[in-house]
Amino acid sequence: MPVRVMVTATIEEQHREAFEEAYRQVTSVVRGTPGHLRDEMLRDAEQPGRYILLAEWESEEAFRSWEDAPSHREMAAPMFPYWSGGGIERHIYDVRARLDSVPSHT
């Protein structure tokens, strides 16, 4: 069953551009990891320092396998300076349903 890993973070204004670049670096390295499907970065339109990072994985096992691998720390290293200070939360969600807004024509 697919899972979504959601990380919320609050980033100070002077670090936002560097944070977004670090995210792009990390996601480009993670791309192609077994079980990894896609990533998204969302920035709050009303509170620009608040971000949601979404990663979709084929399964929780695939995500945890990557997370527990020694290479994980190396891959994610560009993000570490922005995680200090405790302003992040991570949650794993099972995808229970997916609804497309555009109906398919058969």
Side-chain angles (χ1 to χ4, degrees):
M1 173 181 300
V3 296
R4 294 271 174 86
V5 179
M6 183 176 85
V7 175
T8 59
T10 301
I11 306 298
E12 295 177 12
E13 184 174 3
Q14 69 270 24
H15 299 298
R16 291 179 197 155
E17 189 174 316
F19 170 75
E20 291 182 17
E21 178 56 30
Y23 172 82
R24 286 188 280 279
Q25 289 174 16
V26 171
T27 57
S28 71
V29 173
V30 174
R31 187 176 296 126
T33 299
H36 177 258
L37 300 174
R38 67 186 53 83
D39 289 298
E40 280 186 292
M41 172 190 278
L42 308 174
R43 188 173 72 189
D44 190 318
E46 295 175 352
Q47 296 178 4
R50 290 203 25 91
Y51 289 85
I52 296 176
L53 310 180
L54 294 172
E56 187 170 0
W57 290 79
E58 289 176 356
S59 66
E60 184 175 349
E61 293 78 21
F63 168 71
R64 293 206 185 269
S65 177
W66 172 74
E67 183 181 47
D68 294 341
S71 61
H72 169 251
R73 289 195 61 77
E74 184 179 316
M75 287 180 174
M79 299 295 292
F80 291 163
Y82 308 101
W83 295 153
S84 63
I88 68 159
E89 289 185 29
R90 188 203 75 192
H91 300 279
I92 300 172
Y93 296 92
D94 293 329
V95 177
R96 306 303 290 180
R98 185 184 317 245
L99 306 173
D100 293 325
S101 60
V102 179
S104 63
H105 299 285
T106 56

